[in-house]
Amino acid sequence: MSKEHDQNQHHDHTGHDHDPGEQDVHDSLNHIVPPRIYIIIGASLLVLTGVTVWASFVDMGVFNPVVALAIACFKASLVVLFFMHVKYSSKLTKLTVFSGLFTFAVLIALTLADYATRAWGRW
């Protein structure tokens, strides 16, 4: 390595060289989450499971599945963000997760559009 190249590089706590504005891909691998966070998230998931069971006994009409799905989506978000470490990952990983969710939403929307526009009982 040249001396000029060394002046523009920074050594992070992991010993990797990268430019000042560049995120090291190994940063996300070395992130240590305190056990307290896992306990809080686990307890939140248990509480939300209880809320889901409680909501199933409350008559909300057509909104029962909507409430159950909303709680399930929130619980899935907690799992993806904290237990799968997406919260602490690089922007590329976050973009990949968001792209997968967007593709899933498009496929569900197309499926529901097909289902809603069928001529039921006319054929």
Side-chain angles (χ1 to χ4, degrees):
M1 264 187 233
S2 70
K3 201 171 198 176
E4 181 178 317
H5 182 72
D6 285 342
Q7 292 174 350
N8 293 333
Q9 298 291 318
H10 291 270
H11 297 278
D12 60 5
H13 65 283
T14 61
H16 296 108
D17 295 335
H18 57 85
D19 292 328
E22 182 181 359
Q23 183 180 10
D24 188 1
V25 294
H26 299 286
D27 286 345
S28 61
L29 298 176
N30 295 327
H31 183 79
I32 298 173
V33 179
R36 176 177 48 91
I37 298 295
Y38 288 127
I39 291 170
I40 291 171
I41 297 301
S44 300
L45 292 173
L46 287 174
V47 168
L48 288 170
T49 300
V51 170
T52 304
V53 171
W54 171 79
S56 69
F57 290 108
V58 176
D59 185 21
M60 292 180 271
V62 295
F63 292 108
N64 274 12
V66 174
V67 169
L69 285 173
I71 295 170
C73 287
F74 186 71
K75 288 170 59 179
S77 300
L78 289 177
V79 169
V80 169
L81 287 174
F82 292 98
F83 289 122
M84 296 175 73
H85 293 236
V86 171
K87 178 177 173 45
Y88 310 107
S89 297
S90 66
K91 290 180 181 177
L92 179 63
T93 302
K94 292 176 183 175
L95 179 65
T96 303
V97 170
F98 178 75
S99 299
L101 289 174
F102 180 74
T103 303
F104 176 72
V106 167
L107 291 174
I108 291 296
L110 291 174
T111 301
L112 289 177
D114 178 50
Y115 181 78
T117 57
R118 288 187 182 200
W120 293 103
R122 292 188 192 161
W123 62 90

